Amino acid sequence: MIDIKGKNIKVIAFDADDTLWDCQSWFDDVERRCCELLSPWASAREVSQGLVETERRNLSKTGYGTKAFTLSLVENAVRVTNQQLTGHVVEQLLEMGKELLEFPTTPLPEVEETLKQLAEMRRYRLVVFTKGELMDQENKLKRSGLEGYFSHMETVSNKTEREYRQLCENLDVAPEQTLMVGNSFRSDIAPALAAGAWAFHIPYYVVWAMEKSEEFPHERLYKATHFSEILDLLC
């Protein structure tokens, strides 16, 4: 276990999707239903592979989030059907995308209880640091019922070392006084460590294709299996 006690941690920043609540499984379900819808034209493998390629191609222009995913969903469907897509099918795809703006963001096990204990300590400033589309991420936090535990929320288009340093600057705290908590090694852990922060990695059972990356050990990294282990690390 890393030794973080006595390191003067002032801020604990939490990723949102698949760290505080389940998200990716809802996207995976829409992808599965899309494959079924497009089965007269292409196999599920062709649809899924095409969707990942389309998302990757669009990423620099559309960024992350539900709306970007929905646009790629429709674009990929047009391609795999050789432009034979009917208005009715397009409508169904759009409805699937809209459903992703409203799914229940029920806190994952141990999340709310742990946040409550951290808040009661009054030692740390709890914030949300996530990427995606601003309104969508704000609405997810509101639906989760966890909003009251956080004093600050930032939604960015991407998470790199630069964004982590900017977060610390915005909060008037040094990176080494910051602990980042998240499920994605690529977005939540590696860039936070590069910026000089501490990191608490809590992997989720599903991972988006474009969030998969190589992992590595680090003196400021703790890999957990339970969310509540944050308390053991800090207390």
Side-chain angles (χ1 to χ4, degrees):
M1 180 184 292
I2 63 173
D3 184 11
I4 199 172
K5 297 174 184 177
K7 297 299 182 180
N8 195 28
I9 298 298
K10 293 183 177 180
V11 168
I12 306 178
F14 295 84
D15 173 54
D17 297 330
D18 298 320
T19 296
L20 299 179
W21 53 73
D22 172 49
C23 178
Q24 186 57 43
S25 68
W26 295 92
F27 280 75
D28 288 349
D29 181 63
V30 166
E31 182 177 329
R32 177 188 59 76
R33 289 158 57 198
C34 176
C35 290
E36 293 175 354
L37 187 63
L38 301 180
S39 59
W41 295 278
S43 68
R45 181 178 180 181
E46 289 171 328
V47 174
S48 292
Q49 289 182 340
L51 179 58
V52 171
E53 292 168 3
T54 303
E55 288 183 284
R56 184 172 286 113
R57 188 169 58 248
N58 288 342
L59 196 57
S60 63
K61 295 180 179 179
T62 61
Y64 299 87
T66 299
K67 295 172 186 176
F69 173 77
T70 304
L71 181 63
S72 292
L73 200 69
V74 174
E75 181 182 336
N76 182 57
V78 171
R79 186 188 62 79
V80 299
T81 62
N82 294 315
Q83 300 184 338
Q84 297 177 24
L85 209 59
T86 65
H88 178 60
V89 174
V90 171
E91 184 178 31
Q92 291 182 74
L93 292 171
L94 291 175
E95 284 303 313
M96 290 181 195
K98 289 180 180 179
E99 288 175 13
L100 292 173
L101 295 171
E102 301 178 325
F103 66 81
T105 51
T106 304
L108 290 171
E110 301 184 354
V111 167
E112 185 161 16
E113 298 89 340
T114 301
L115 291 176
K116 182 179 180 181
Q117 290 187 57
L118 288 172
E120 290 174 347
M121 290 179 189
R122 299 184 181 276
R123 297 181 199 167
Y124 313 104
R125 185 176 182 188
L126 309 183
V127 306
V128 175
F129 186 53
T130 184
K131 68 181 181 183
E133 195 274 320
L134 179 61
M135 183 180 292
D136 188 21
Q137 295 303 91
E138 288 179 341
N139 285 338
K140 287 178 188 175
L141 182 59
K142 290 176 182 176
R143 296 200 304 274
S144 74
L146 301 174
E147 189 176 19
Y149 293 108
F150 302 102
S151 63
H152 180 81
M153 178 181 187
E154 281 193 33
T155 302
V156 293
S157 58
N158 200 6
K159 284 180 173 177
T160 68
E161 179 181 347
R162 178 181 178 181
E163 279 75 24
Y164 279 94
R165 290 189 179 279
Q166 186 62 58
L167 172 69
C168 292
E169 185 176 325
N170 294 344
L171 297 174
D172 192 26
V173 65
E176 59 268 24
Q177 296 174 316
T178 304
L179 172 65
M180 180 64 202
V181 178
N183 68 292
S184 169
F185 202 93
R186 180 188 182 97
S187 295
D188 302 322
I189 305 305
L193 292 172
W198 298 78
F200 182 94
H201 186 206
I202 176 76
Y204 198 50
Y205 78 99
V206 287
V207 182
W208 184 33
M210 283 187 283
E211 286 294 336
K212 294 179 180 179
S213 68
E214 292 285 335
E215 298 185 12
F216 52 82
H218 195 282
E219 61 183 3
R220 283 183 275 107
L221 168 64
Y222 179 84
K223 187 166 183 176
T225 55
H226 297 282
F227 195 88
S228 61
E229 288 175 49
I230 301 172
L231 298 172
D232 297 328
L233 193 63
L234 294 169
C235 302

